[in-house]
Amino acid sequence: MEVHCTVKNCTWWDDNYCIANGILITSDEVGEALPERYDYQETQSIVQQFGETPVDSCTSTCCKTFAPRQD
Ligand code: SF4
């Protein structure tokens, strides 16, 4: 699957594509509650901790894999 993304200042951004091996998308609410270090590898523990995280619209989701580019 291609992930198109426009967040240019992310480490995983490459010319409007995401090149991360995996990404974690969750609700804004859970994204804000989790420490920065939580990513797709912890999906199962996040579900155990918060349950599944349905939302009402796309604007209520966030990419938890975002990491600011260091350059
Ligand atoms: S990790 Fe998220 S914010 Fe970063 S390029 Fe991929 S989709 Fe975009």
Side-chain angles (χ1 to χ4, degrees), residues 2-3 6 10 12 14-15 22-25 27-28 36-39 43 45-46 48 51 55 59-60 62 65-66 68:
E2 292 178 349
V3 176
T6 61
C10 178
W12 305 109
D14 184 17
D15 198 18
I23 60 173
L24 172 61
I25 307 297
S27 67
D28 286 348
E36 282 293 317
R37 65 183 172 77
Y38 272 69
D39 207 332
T43 302
S45 65
I46 292 166
Q48 286 167 0
V55 297
T59 57
S60 300
C62 68
T65 304
F66 168 80

Side-chain angles (χ1 to χ4, degrees), residues 10-56:
C10 178
T11 298
W12 305 109
W13 184 91
D14 184 17
D15 198 18
N16 296 328
Y17 286 93
C18 176
I19 58 170
N21 288 333
I23 60 173
L24 172 61
I25 307 297
T26 189
S27 67
D28 286 348
E29 189 177 37
V30 168
E32 287 170 13
L34 290 170
E36 282 293 317
R37 65 183 172 77
Y38 272 69
D39 207 332
Y40 66 92
Q41 298 92 337
E42 284 82 39
T43 302
Q44 211 44 45
S45 65
I46 292 166
V47 169
Q48 286 167 0
Q49 193 174 349
F50 294 95
E52 294 169 344
T53 64
V55 297
D56 293 328

Side-chain angles (χ1 to χ4, degrees), residues 55-71:
V55 297
D56 293 328
S57 72
C58 60
T59 57
S60 300
T61 68
C62 68
C63 177
K64 190 69 183 63
T65 304
F66 168 80
R69 189 180 289 268
Q70 305 293 325
D71 56 25

